[in-house]
Amino acid sequence: MAVSLTSFEIAGIALGLREAVIALIVLVALYMAIVLWRMRRLRAQKAAKAGGAGEPVAPSLGSEQDFEENEGAAVRLSDAARRQAAAAWEEAPAGMADDLLRSGLEQEIAILRDEVDALRGELAALRNDMQQEMSHLRATQSVSPIYGDAMQLAQAGYDPAAIAERCGIARAEAELVVALTKSQER
């Protein structure tokens, strides 16, 4: 008789962990079937009570035929009650669809408003950038070509002496161009 942790032998039958799990599953399934059967009986009794307008749910201690007739009536009533409950369940409340539609639309409108606000902010930033570029462009167009070149050199970071030498202008003028460029950058 060999005994291990995963199996043992009873009356010549080897039972292992696998068989124990299968037996446990069968027991749980059997328990669930019994509970479902009891629930169905209770629901049939409840439907018979609701449909019978106060008649006793339990059959009287009469003959077996009376018992079968009462049980058949309870099943018929439970079928009718089940159909009625299913129809009531499938019907949506009158205003539910309108409320859902309204709330969905309100959410979409809120999202769209947020997006419009974000777009307005971006548009304002772009407008400011464009106005700065336009003022910079007007300033460079109203300047003579020599001073335009001096402005470009000043923007590139050249010192006034190098600008004066390359453009052929006085050092004071080059310093003025550098000062103008720095003021525009601010």
Side-chain angles (χ1 to χ4, degrees):
M1 179 178 211
V3 177
S4 70
L5 293 176
T6 57
S7 68
F8 61 94
E9 208 171 303
I10 298 177
I13 300 173
L15 296 175
L17 184 60
R18 178 177 166 201
E19 287 81 13
V21 170
I22 290 172
L24 184 62
I25 291 172
V26 168
L27 287 173
V28 169
L30 184 63
Y31 175 74
M32 288 176 57
I34 291 171
V35 169
L36 289 174
W37 178 72
R38 289 179 67 195
M39 288 174 57
R40 185 172 179 214
R41 274 189 55 203
L42 288 173
R43 187 172 16 168
Q45 289 175 355
K46 186 176 180 181
K49 185 183 239 184
E55 293 180 13
V57 175
S60 63
L61 296 175
S63 67
E64 192 172 305
Q65 184 180 8
D66 290 339
F67 177 74
E68 289 175 1
E69 288 175 6
N70 285 340
E71 189 174 320
V75 170
R76 282 192 302 274
L77 287 175
S78 69
D79 289 340
R82 189 180 311 124
R83 276 188 242 115
Q84 184 181 13
W89 180 259
E90 290 174 359
E91 288 181 14
M96 185 175 175
D98 292 337
D99 292 341
L100 287 174
L101 180 64
R102 185 177 301 117
S103 66
L105 290 175
E106 287 172 354
Q107 289 175 349
E108 285 185 37
I109 288 173
I111 291 170
L112 289 174
R113 284 182 179 162
D114 292 341
E115 289 176 2
V116 167
D117 290 340
L119 288 174
R120 284 182 180 163
E122 290 176 14
L123 183 62
L126 288 173
R127 184 179 300 132
N128 289 338
D129 291 344
M130 185 183 71
Q131 287 174 349
Q132 288 177 355
E133 289 291 325
M134 290 297 290
S135 66
H136 180 66
L137 184 62
R138 285 187 193 129
T140 58
Q141 286 178 351
S142 63
V143 177
S144 70
I146 295 174
Y147 290 110
D149 292 339
M151 290 281 283
Q152 288 178 350
L153 291 172
Q155 287 175 349
Y158 286 92
D159 62 341
I163 294 172
E165 186 178 318
R166 285 194 176 187
C167 295
I169 58 174
R171 184 177 168 105
E173 291 174 328
E175 288 175 358
L176 180 65
V177 169
V178 170
L180 285 172
T181 303
K182 286 181 181 177
S183 70
Q184 284 182 353
E185 287 176 1
R186 287 187 218 145

